[in-house]
Amino acid sequence: MSGFTSRIFRKLIPRVAEEDSFEFYLKRSQFKRGDYRVASDILSAFLVNPEHKAAIINDLNKAIAALTTKVVSFGLDHEFQSYFKRLNINSECYQKLIFQIKDLSQLDHSDILKIKEYLDQISQTIIELRRNKNVIGTSLHLTMVTRRILDYIHRAKELLDLKSDIDNIDKWQELIVDYASFQSTQNSLRKYLNAHVDLLALEVVEHTSQKGEEYVASNAKEYNKFFRKGLLGGAIIAVFALFKILIDAHLSITLPRAFLYSLNYASCFLLVKFLGGTIATKQPAMTASTIIKHIDKDDDLRLDAIQDIIILLRKVARSQFISLIGNFLMAFSVSCLIAFILSLGFTDNPVSIKKSNYLIQQVFPFSGGGIFYAAIAGVFLALSGFISGYFDNRVIASNLPYRIKHHRPLSKITSKKMRDKISNYIEKSLGVIAGNVSLGFFLGSAFLLSYFLPLSIDIRHIAFSSANVGYAIINNAFSVSTILLALVSVLIIGFVNFTVSFSITFTLALKSRGITLKDLGQLIKLSINDIIRNPLDYLIIRKNQSLESNSNNY
């Protein structure tokens, strides 16, 4: 908040540089970014004058000292030292840098090289820290601070290069152009908000990408395993789809019905997870972040990196496809079996002819609103993925498992073994529970939004929709064309579920790493060409896949 208000204040009352300072002359000259001629004129006027040159060198030393001192203070902070210790990162370079910058005015070329060497070592400790966010957790503060340290290191090295060759006009021009760029945006509220949105996005998707690794099949064995897990998930969903029909048949009061719908969805998702099944539509929110994680924006997406990403795209697509088919086939088959048993008359059949007509009609893309409602479900699927990643991250970032293991009041009533079990369960399952429960309540309560918005709100989920079609066709005499149209509509619902959920997560993951779709132009072009040339590779695993033969597993 303080950064926001300070920018507003500076917009109203801009800061004024001191007279006779280099910054003062630069601003007075109306220097614009890229205007090298004006930059050269100002430099000539300053560097020729001995007093001005001495003042510049003095300011340069102060700037280097300020930047390096900030870097060292961050690195020696107790919180950072604890991170380094947990990750077994050598942080002696921070202390070495302290002794190297005592008297910057007396530095020679070898001393400057030594300082830059220590700055490089410090940069590596920060990069290693950021790479291990899934071990120590992340937060807005940690992400913002580590970015700031890397910026300070980059600036300090530029100033050290300038100090070693103070009369080099080209280096001065680069520095002045960077300064002009900074000046043009330093009070920008939009840039400030975007930067913090990026940080928030990074915190949310960091653990989502880690979870996404579990949803990528790298070989035939894993591919078949995903299919079996999809079948199990579909079978469980078919049972809970019947529970939803029963709730609908026996309860008409809006709020209690929404609560029971939500409880039914949440219980279904949790049961599928803990029994080892898979719900295909939950995968896109995880795998989108995983794809972004493997995109190297700093290397301008070199061809070898792009090939690796295309291989990953193939794996993600076919993993998603086979899980979705497993859900679809088993949810439809089991619901048909249950509906047939109910039709034998052992108990009252909750699926009347009127209800079966409704179930079959609601999956149609346009007349039943299937596409629009599937898109709404896709939004909720993405949101639940973010919630799951957020809670996973907070567990690690707050060091919650360790705190539970050493909780004094708890140690008086439980054994160490029990505390270890509790902490391990929370570490592995809290995000899963939060994500599935939130998704259950999103889907179960979505129709309540219709009371507040000027349009009808509902959801369509491929597995539940395929189960509903199964219950419908057994309890009513539909034509073959109607049944086929309903099944195709269900697959369209699944495609929309996937596309919307994936797109939202992919966009947020891009933003969290400062990447734009424009940066991915080459990747998008090559991936489209690959899909056209090798469409089956995005659906099934084939024996002869030369591009993937030497790739590493993700």
Side-chain angles (χ1 to χ4, degrees):
M1 189 62 185
S2 60
F4 191 79
T5 55
S6 65
R7 279 164 174 76
I8 295 177
F9 182 76
R10 288 202 299 265
K11 276 181 174 291
L12 297 174
I13 308 177
R15 187 175 67 84
V16 180
E18 295 182 10
E19 290 190 14
D20 294 330
S21 67
F22 182 74
E23 184 181 6
F24 176 80
Y25 283 103
L26 193 62
K27 285 187 173 182
R28 194 177 68 174
S29 69
Q30 300 297 314
F31 170 76
K32 295 181 180 180
R33 183 170 40 177
D35 193 345
Y36 292 100
R37 183 184 58 78
V38 174
S40 299
D41 292 343
I42 299 170
L43 284 169
S44 300
F46 257 78
L47 295 178
V48 171
N49 188 311
E51 292 184 3
H52 286 165
K53 185 173 181 178
I56 288 177
I57 294 174
N58 184 48
D59 287 342
L60 189 61
N61 289 336
K62 289 180 180 178
I64 294 171
L67 290 169
T68 52
T69 301
K70 287 178 180 179
V71 169
V72 170
S73 65
F74 279 125
L76 296 181
D77 180 78
H78 173 74
E79 181 182 11
F80 273 75
Q81 283 295 308
S82 66
Y83 290 149
F84 294 144
K85 185 176 180 181
R86 286 172 62 185
L87 298 173
N88 197 27
I89 297 175
N90 188 344
S91 61
E92 292 181 358
C93 47
Y94 290 92
Q95 294 179 335
K96 291 179 179 178
L97 183 59
I98 294 176
F99 298 106
Q100 196 69 33
I101 59 175
K102 281 186 176 181
D103 189 359
L104 291 171
S105 63
Q106 301 298 321
L107 293 181
D108 56 23
H109 182 68
S110 62
D111 293 327
I112 290 175
L113 290 178
K114 199 66 177 177
I115 292 176
K116 290 174 66 176
E117 180 184 340
Y118 291 145
L119 287 173
D120 286 335
Q121 292 175 13
I122 289 172
S123 180
Q124 286 302 312
T125 66
I126 300 301
I127 291 172
E128 191 67 22
L129 192 68
R130 291 166 66 88
R131 284 175 181 168
N132 285 276
K133 283 182 179 178
N134 292 310
V135 177
I136 62 173
T138 187
S139 64
L140 292 179
H141 172 69
L142 176 61
T143 305
M144 188 163 51
V145 167
T146 51
R147 280 188 178 182
R148 191 179 299 160
I149 295 175
L150 292 175
D151 284 342
Y152 289 163
I153 291 172
H154 178 71
R155 292 181 202 171
K157 289 171 68 176
E158 285 187 333
L159 296 182
L160 285 166
D161 284 338
L162 185 60
K163 179 178 174 61
S164 64
D165 192 5
I166 195 69
D167 295 312
N168 190 311
I169 299 297
D170 291 335
K171 290 182 180 180
W172 272 105
Q173 286 178 338
E174 290 178 8
L175 184 65
I176 292 172
V177 169
D178 288 343
Y179 167 79
S181 177
F182 169 75
Q183 282 292 108
S184 65
T185 60
Q186 69 167 333
N187 295 327
S188 171
L189 299 178
R190 181 179 178 181
K191 182 179 179 181
Y192 179 77
L193 290 174
N194 283 339
H196 282 73
V197 168
D198 290 352
L199 292 175
L200 179 60
L202 184 60
E203 180 179 7
V204 170
V205 303
E206 192 68 32
H207 276 260
T208 304
S209 65
Q210 180 71 11
K211 292 288 184 181
E213 305 282 355
E214 302 172 7
Y215 295 102
V216 181
S218 297
N219 51 56
K221 182 179 179 181
E222 292 179 1
Y223 183 79
N224 294 330
K225 182 180 178 181
F226 275 37
F227 180 61
R228 293 192 299 270
K229 293 174 74 173
L231 292 175
L232 175 59
I236 295 171
I237 285 173
V239 176
F240 280 85
L242 178 62
F243 291 162
K244 185 175 183 292
I245 293 172
L246 288 170
I247 294 169
D248 203 32
H250 293 91
L251 189 62
S252 59
I253 305 174
T254 302
L255 289 179
R257 186 155 51 96
F259 177 75
L260 288 180
Y261 280 172
S262 303
L263 203 59
N264 184 63
Y265 278 121
S267 301
C268 174
F269 298 147
L270 287 172
L271 187 62
V272 170
K273 179 63 180 178
F274 290 124
L275 289 182
T278 294
I279 297 176
T281 50
K282 286 183 63 64
Q283 294 175 214
M286 307 293 181
T287 52
S289 298
T290 303
I291 292 171
I292 299 299
K293 182 179 176 181
H294 289 275
I295 293 177
D296 184 7
K297 65 172 182 177
D298 295 328
D299 215 0
D300 296 326
L301 294 177
R302 294 174 304 178
L303 185 59
D304 56 341
I306 290 179
Q307 288 178 334
D308 290 341
I309 296 165
I310 288 175
I311 293 170
L312 179 59
L313 286 172
R314 290 182 180 185
K315 294 177 181 179
V316 167
R318 61 181 178 239
S319 301
Q320 176 70 49
F321 171 76
I322 197 62
S323 297
L324 186 145
I325 292 299
N327 281 172
F328 169 75
L329 291 177
M330 189 58 81
F332 176 72
S333 302
V334 172
S335 63
C336 287
L337 177 62
I338 295 174
F340 175 74
I341 294 172
L342 291 175
S343 68
L344 297 178
F346 296 112
T347 184
D348 291 337
N349 193 340
V351 186
S352 63
I353 293 178
K354 181 180 179 181
K355 183 67 175 179
S356 64
N357 282 325
Y358 171 75
L359 293 176
I360 205 87
Q361 287 293 328
Q362 70 172 356
V363 302
F364 293 146
F366 301 106
S367 61
I371 291 179
F372 177 64
Y373 297 143
I376 294 174
V379 173
F380 290 139
L381 287 162
L383 185 57
S384 68
F386 301 149
I387 291 173
S388 178
Y390 174 80
F391 275 90
D392 276 331
N393 173 66
R394 294 316 301 164
V395 168
I396 303 300
S398 62
N399 207 9
L400 188 58
Y402 179 84
R403 289 157 67 178
I404 291 174
K405 290 178 183 179
H406 298 83
H407 192 268
R408 285 191 176 183
L410 194 60
S411 65
K412 295 179 180 178
I413 57 175
T414 60
S415 64
K416 183 179 183 301
K417 186 177 180 180
M418 178 59 69
R419 293 196 303 278
D420 289 343
K421 285 185 177 180
I422 293 172
S423 62
N424 291 335
Y425 180 81
I426 290 176
E427 183 176 3
K428 294 179 180 179
S429 303
L430 186 61
V432 171
I433 294 172
N436 283 291
V437 171
S438 63
L439 178 59
F441 277 79
F442 289 149
L443 300 185
S445 304
F447 73 95
L448 294 177
L449 294 174
S450 301
Y451 293 93
F452 306 99
L453 299 175
L455 69 162
S456 175
I457 300 294
D458 204 347
I459 60 97
R460 297 290 184 269
H461 184 278
I462 177 174
F464 279 89
S465 294
S466 58
N468 288 339
V469 171
Y471 287 118
I473 64 173
I474 298 299
N475 289 281
N476 204 341
F478 294 104
S479 65
V480 174
S481 60
T482 301
I483 294 172
L484 291 177
L485 179 59
L487 292 176
V488 171
S489 299
V490 169
L491 293 176
I492 293 173
I493 287 172
F495 177 77
V496 175
N497 287 159
F498 170 85
T499 303
V500 173
S501 177
F502 183 89
S503 299
I504 292 173
T505 311
F506 191 80
T507 302
L508 185 62
L510 280 176
K511 187 171 182 60
S512 72
R513 288 165 172 81
I515 310 172
T516 64
L517 287 175
K518 184 179 179 180
D519 298 327
L520 302 181
Q522 187 183 6
L523 172 62
I524 293 172
K525 181 180 178 180
L526 290 177
S527 61
I528 291 174
N529 290 337
D530 188 59
I531 291 172
I532 294 173
R533 290 196 307 267
N534 308 291
L536 288 180
D537 290 342
Y538 289 81
L539 301 178
I540 60 175
I541 288 184
R542 297 189 295 174
K543 291 184 179 180
N544 297 322
Q545 291 176 319
S546 57
L547 183 62
E548 299 182 31
S549 59
N550 297 319
S551 68
N552 295 324
N553 290 347
Y554 288 91

